[in-house]
Amino acid sequence: MKLGIVGLPNVGKSTLFNAITNAGVPADNYAFCTIDPNVGVVSVPDERLNWLAELHNPKKLTPAVIEFVDIAGLVKGASKGEGLGNKFLSNIRNTDAIVHVVRCFEDSNVTHVEGSTDPLRDIEIINMELIMADIEMVERRIDKAQKAMKGGDKKFAREVELFTELLAHLNEGKLARTFDGTEDDMALISTSDLLTLKKTIYVGNLSEDEVNEPESNSHFMAVKALAAEEGSQLIPICAKWEADIAELDDPEDRAMFMEELGVKESGLDKLIRSSYALLGLISFLTAGSDECRAWTIKNGTKAPQAAGKIHTDFERGFIRAEVIAFDDMQACGTMANAKAKGLVRSEGKEYVMKDGDIVNFLFNV
């Protein structure tokens, strides 16, 4: 999974990226500090995987990972190449979802590219740049389909009609993901790789005084209303605190510091939880003496397709899956006990995977 972190310059974007990836990206107080997209890969914490590792003592432990891409601050005119625009719009295009950081605190010592704190205005600035880039893409798609129609291919007639409707929607300043189309319509639109189709997690960057009571911040509540309207997610974070937490290498020190701050989970944990929920993702587990590993799949994935995540041969030659729920496995203590109690199931091609399933795939190619 790849998440692109966006936001106007100086809203706390790179500070947050540094904290969650410990990548040490410069986070100075001026625009365009992040000149190239910075990439950090972080492990997804999973106590289930740790428990299996203690049981099997494997040669290798492989957690699921999330790739964060810190994309330089966008400004007005980015879609026309202003600032560092076009280059970074293409970086957003290569992500699975957008993490949009907005500043919700007032601080005269931290400059704001627009001169004041107004997260709704900031969101609109970036959204408009993404919409304008999408308008160009949709216009090209319509032009291409119209040319195909002239060649006698009638199937492009609906494509021209649909993308013309979408173009009108975008020209009203609306995001592609809010377009009201049928399931087939949206499936066709999704082939166009539009920026405003991407699901979004808004991160409200709050001050130390307000992060534990975000409802007291009017800016945060305004973003909350917008997120609800869009079907997006919103999480409160204090980027400064996240940076302080990240400086502590010892997990016990971190836990103590977080307790002192009244923070129940780190910003990274919040982002991971939100991104899995937003994208409809779950994890299944494989375990043995060679490797214990977590695999990320879409909720609703059937067993053969889950097997294909490990290797295409597993899907092609799928016979069956031996499955046990993690909670059952933990309660039994060992696989032998679980089998003796009849808790290891044999599942076929129609089995829909569940979060936390421990699986052994049988296949023959």
Side-chain angles (χ1 to χ4, degrees):
M1 173 166 42
K2 183 184 285 190
L3 303 179
I5 304 180
V6 305
L8 289 178
N10 299 339
V11 295
K13 184 172 54 64
S14 290
T15 301
L16 177 63
F17 175 82
N18 291 352
I20 60 180
T21 64
N22 286 320
V25 178
D28 301 274
N29 183 22
Y30 57 89
F32 307 131
C33 175
T34 313
I35 301 301
D36 291 311
N38 292 276
V39 179
V41 178
V42 300
S43 300
V44 175
D46 194 332
E47 289 303 318
R48 301 170 302 190
L49 189 63
N50 296 338
W51 186 88
L52 288 170
E54 287 182 14
L55 180 67
H56 291 278
N57 192 26
K59 295 173 187 172
K60 189 178 181 183
L61 178 66
T62 310
V65 296
I66 295 180
E67 190 174 311
F68 287 97
V69 183
D70 182 26
I71 296 165
L74 297 171
V75 293
K76 285 179 182 175
S79 60
K80 303 297 182 187
E82 291 295 322
L84 300 165
N86 288 332
K87 181 178 177 183
F88 296 104
L89 291 172
S90 66
N91 291 326
I92 298 170
R93 210 176 297 285
N94 295 325
T95 62
D96 296 306
I98 293 172
V99 176
H100 190 156
V101 182
V102 290
R103 179 168 144 189
C104 295
F105 65 89
E106 307 279 352
D107 188 342
S108 59
N109 295 317
V110 181
T111 60
H112 191 292
V113 71
E114 290 296 318
S116 63
T117 300
D118 184 346
L120 291 187
R121 175 205 59 209
D122 296 353
I123 289 169
E124 185 178 1
I125 288 171
I126 287 188
N127 280 350
M128 283 308 301
E129 296 307 320
L130 302 184
I131 287 168
M132 288 168 73
D134 281 352
I135 286 172
E136 289 185 18
M137 284 200 73
V138 169
E139 286 174 339
R140 288 199 296 269
R141 182 70 176 256
I142 293 169
D143 185 54
K144 186 177 178 181
Q146 285 174 331
K147 288 177 181 175
M149 279 177 62
K150 289 177 182 176
D153 196 336
K154 299 296 183 186
K155 73 178 182 181
F156 288 100
R158 175 55 188 154
E159 188 168 324
V160 170
E161 182 184 4
L162 176 61
F163 278 89
T164 301
E165 291 172 8
L166 177 60
L167 181 61
H169 179 82
L170 292 169
N171 276 322
E172 291 175 4
K174 297 175 182 176
L175 308 171
R177 64 177 178 268
T178 66
F179 181 75
D180 186 19
T182 66
E183 191 174 329
D184 287 344
D185 287 345
M186 297 313 291
L188 181 56
I189 288 171
S190 69
T191 63
S192 59
D193 197 25
L194 298 177
L195 298 173
T196 64
L197 270 183
K198 293 186 183 296
K199 294 186 176 182
T200 298
I201 301 169
Y202 291 110
V203 172
N205 186 14
L206 293 153
S207 69
E208 301 98 310
D209 297 332
E210 295 177 310
V211 69
N212 288 333
E213 294 180 353
E215 290 79 10
S216 66
N217 182 292
S218 60
H219 293 312
F220 183 86
M221 294 307 288
V223 178
K224 185 176 182 179
L226 176 68
E229 187 181 318
E230 286 183 7
S232 299
Q233 296 207 11
L234 169 65
I235 58 176
I237 277 178
C238 174
K240 184 177 183 303
W241 272 3
E242 295 299 325
D244 293 340
I245 292 167
E247 288 179 2
L248 301 172
D249 295 325
D250 187 279
E252 288 187 10
D253 289 344
R254 284 191 182 191
M256 285 177 60
F257 184 53
M258 286 170 64
E259 188 175 346
E260 287 176 16
L261 297 176
V263 177
K264 293 181 180 178
E265 61 179 340
S266 70
L268 175 59
D269 289 341
K270 288 179 183 177
L271 271 176
I272 289 172
R273 185 163 45 78
S274 289
S275 59
Y276 268 68
L278 187 71
L279 296 172
L281 302 175
I282 61 172
S283 294
F284 73 89
L285 310 164
T286 54
S289 58
D290 285 333
E291 183 181 35
C292 289
R293 182 163 180 166
W295 304 84
T296 303
I297 56 173
K298 281 272 190 183
N299 196 6
T301 299
K302 292 184 178 180
Q305 287 69 51
K309 288 283 288 185
I310 300 174
H311 198 285
T312 52
D313 284 351
F314 283 31
E315 181 175 359
R316 190 158 54 93
F318 180 88
I319 299 172
R320 68 179 186 274
E322 294 178 342
V323 184
I324 180 171
F326 174 80
D327 289 346
D328 288 340
M329 179 65 186
Q330 190 175 41
C332 292
T334 67
M335 186 61 77
N337 287 342
K339 286 181 176 179
K341 292 183 178 182
L343 294 172
V344 181
R345 311 183 309 277
S346 181
E347 301 287 0
K349 292 182 178 180
E350 294 305 309
Y351 176 69
V352 177
M353 301 291 291
K354 306 290 190 300
D355 186 48
D357 276 347
I358 302 169
V359 192
N360 178 40
F361 293 109
L362 282 76
F363 71 103
N364 183 34
V365 179

